[in-house]
Amino acid sequence: MFFYVLIAYTLIAWGDKDPWESIELGRAYVDFDTVEDFVVLPNVGHCPQDEAPHLVNPLVESFVSHHSKSPANASTTI
């Protein structure tokens, strides 16, 4: 019998000027095992992908590139 465990790593990019969700709330997500990185985006609000694509896009591209290089790491047979 085979079981496959899929680990979905997460990158969190959080605007430090978010008027609704505090940076402390965002930092609490770092305690989850799947959160690989927490990036604070300076002078960015609640919608970083809209407000600062010049900051967000390189983060996403790097994250995806890093995880697409070794698909063997995406699942483990137990």
Side-chain angles (χ1 to χ4, degrees):
M1 181 180 304
F2 292 98
F3 293 97
Y4 293 95
V5 178
L6 178 62
I7 298 174
Y9 293 105
T10 307
L11 163 69
I12 298 176
W14 204 279
D16 69 351
K17 302 294 184 203
D18 189 326
W20 296 289
E21 307 293 345
S22 71
I23 195 90
E24 291 79 22
L25 175 66
R27 289 187 195 281
Y29 288 112
V30 175
D31 293 336
F32 288 91
D33 292 337
T34 57
V35 175
E36 186 171 277
D37 202 4
F38 181 87
V39 178
V40 177
L41 300 172
N43 300 311
V44 178
H46 189 72
C47 296
Q49 70 279 8
D50 295 329
E51 297 173 39
H54 62 285
L55 297 176
V56 174
N57 290 349
L59 289 172
V60 172
E61 289 171 352
S62 175
F63 184 81
V64 170
S65 176
H66 172 75
H67 288 286
S68 64
K69 289 181 182 172
S70 55
N73 292 337
S75 65
T76 304
T77 303
I78 298 174

